[in-house]
Amino acid sequence: DIVLGRNGTAIVVGETRSGDFPTTPGAYDRVRQQVEGFIFRLNESGSSLVFSSLIGGSYWDWAQTVTLDSDGNPVVGGVTNSGDFPRTSDAFDTRLNSAAEMFVLKMNASGDRLIFSTFLSDGGENIATAMAVGPDGAVFVAGISDSSRASCAR
């Protein structure tokens, strides 16, 4: 997925199996384990990386969708099967509940720190496929679920 940022930069998310996927010094995560999600920001001309970071834990992680908050911080959604997927201390859901667990995270605009990160699932397989951030900062997530009890959160 791709979103245009301030000043014409482009923020791109996806997944990689590459052993030499380019990350930038100081990036949040530079260690690829298996299939890793990624996020990178290109400069205005598309000629260089502003930052590039991996996203994930020790198994597979797919970054599927990205949007920006009003401060230009990327908000990323996807799916993981990593019990050690990074979560922040204030996470809504800290437990891996299924083989395909939805995640939502916000990274700072520099790509070197998580603002928040949480699982969002109740035991079924759930995948974030689209997101939006409201004017009050609320994150809205759409996706696919095989659960009859899909989560609704604050």
Side-chain angles (χ1 to χ4, degrees), residues 18-149:
S18 173
D20 61 352
F21 188 85
T23 58
T24 52
Y28 172 72
D29 183 0
R30 300 184 72 194
V31 179
R32 188 188 73 82
Q33 298 195 38
Q34 285 198 21
V35 178
E36 290 287 316
F38 66 77
I39 180 170
F40 63 80
R41 181 187 301 260
L42 291 169
N43 68 357
E44 297 83 0
S45 67
S47 61
S48 68
L49 293 169
V50 175
F51 74 81
S52 179
S53 180
L54 298 170
I55 301 170
S58 59
Y59 199 50
W60 56 261
D61 315 284
W62 298 341
Q64 304 263 137
T65 182
V66 63
T67 190
L68 298 175
D69 71 6
S70 61
D71 294 324
N73 297 311
V75 182
V76 179
V79 62
T80 183
N81 191 6
S82 295
D84 60 348
F85 188 89
R87 293 161 321 272
T88 52
S89 61
D90 60 347
F92 174 77
D93 182 359
T94 60
R95 208 172 105 232
L96 185 71
N97 296 303
S98 72
E101 185 88 5
M102 183 184 297
F103 71 81
V104 177
L105 65 83
K106 183 190 291 191
M107 185 172 277
N108 68 345
S110 311
D112 60 3
R113 182 176 59 85
L114 291 179
I115 296 171
F116 74 77
S117 179
T118 188
F119 292 135
L120 194 57
S121 179
D122 61 1
E125 295 187 358
N126 299 280
I127 304 167
T129 58
M131 294 189 329
V133 177
D136 64 351
V139 177
F140 299 87
V141 183
I144 302 166
S145 177
D146 72 354
S147 174
S148 61
R149 303 174 297 139

